[in-house]
Each structure stands twice: as structure tokens, then as C-alpha cells.
Amino acid sequence: MQKFHGDPLALTDLEADVISHIALKNERKCQQECTNKPCTYICPSEVYNWNFNANKVAIDYKRCIECGACVLACPQENIIWVYPRAGYGVTYHHG
């Protein structure tokens, strides 16, 4: 079996939908109850960023590679994540 020695994201194509497949159940939970904001550092494609000026999480769903790490890492179980609609999202290719 041949190993791929390079950027693993180079083997992906992303076709972003105009409708987000990611949302928060309750934005105040992030603001008031979540101290570490793990979604902002567990996501390998930096979908989540804490906006200090607005005191909320900014979600750039178009960067999502559909790994599901954010849902598992959220201590508040506050992330709604579903697969994008058919024809959208990430496509993985082999090297």
C-alpha cells in the first residue's frame, strides 16, 4: 500500500452550499457556560473562531471537512451538525 506524504487536505474538494449545515442550539451557552471554547481549537479546518468584540462564536461552515470533531468536543452539547445537502460538502480523493 502506497502512503501519501503531503498535506491531507490536498486530497479534498469542498463544494459549499448556501445553507449552513452547522448551527448552535443556544448562543448564550457558548458565552456564559463554555470557558475553554474547544470548538475553536479542535476543528482541523478552523471552522469556529471566537469573536471577542461580539462575544460569540463565528462559524465559517464553508471550511468544514465533515469530521465531526466539534460535536464530540463541545462540553455543552451545543453544536447542531448535519451532513450537507446532496451534492455539497467535502469529497475525498486518494493519492
Side-chain angles (χ1 to χ4, degrees), residues 15 17 19-21 64 66 81-90:
E15 182 65 38
D17 196 347
I19 300 169
S20 178
H21 62 287
C64 182
E66 302 170 28
W81 184 95
V82 296
Y83 285 103
R85 296 184 306 163
Y88 296 100
V90 67

Side-chain angles (χ1 to χ4, degrees), residues 71-89:
V71 176
L72 296 173
C74 181
Q76 306 302 322
E77 298 178 356
N78 196 34
I79 295 174
I80 299 169
W81 184 95
V82 296
Y83 285 103
R85 296 184 306 163
Y88 296 100

Side-chain angles (χ1 to χ4, degrees), residues 6-80:
D7 179 9
L9 294 181
L11 298 176
T12 63
D13 289 326
L14 289 168
E15 182 65 38
D17 196 347
V18 295
I19 300 169
S20 178
H21 62 287
I22 304 170
L24 299 175
K25 295 176 187 175
N26 183 340
E27 201 171 276
R28 280 188 274 157
K29 275 191 169 192
C30 297
Q31 295 166 331
Q32 298 170 357
E33 299 176 31
C34 188
T35 56
N36 293 332
K37 317 287 190 266
C39 64
T40 63
Y41 57 84
I42 198 72
C43 177
S45 58
E46 299 177 348
V47 169
Y48 304 88
N49 290 290
W50 186 253
N51 182 326
F52 289 97
N53 294 328
N55 193 33
K56 68 180 192 174
V57 173
I59 301 172
D60 186 359
Y61 73 93
K62 293 177 180 182
R63 297 180 57 87
C64 182
I65 59 168
E66 302 170 28
C67 69
C70 58
V71 176
L72 296 173
C74 181
Q76 306 302 322
E77 298 178 356
N78 196 34
I79 295 174
I80 299 169

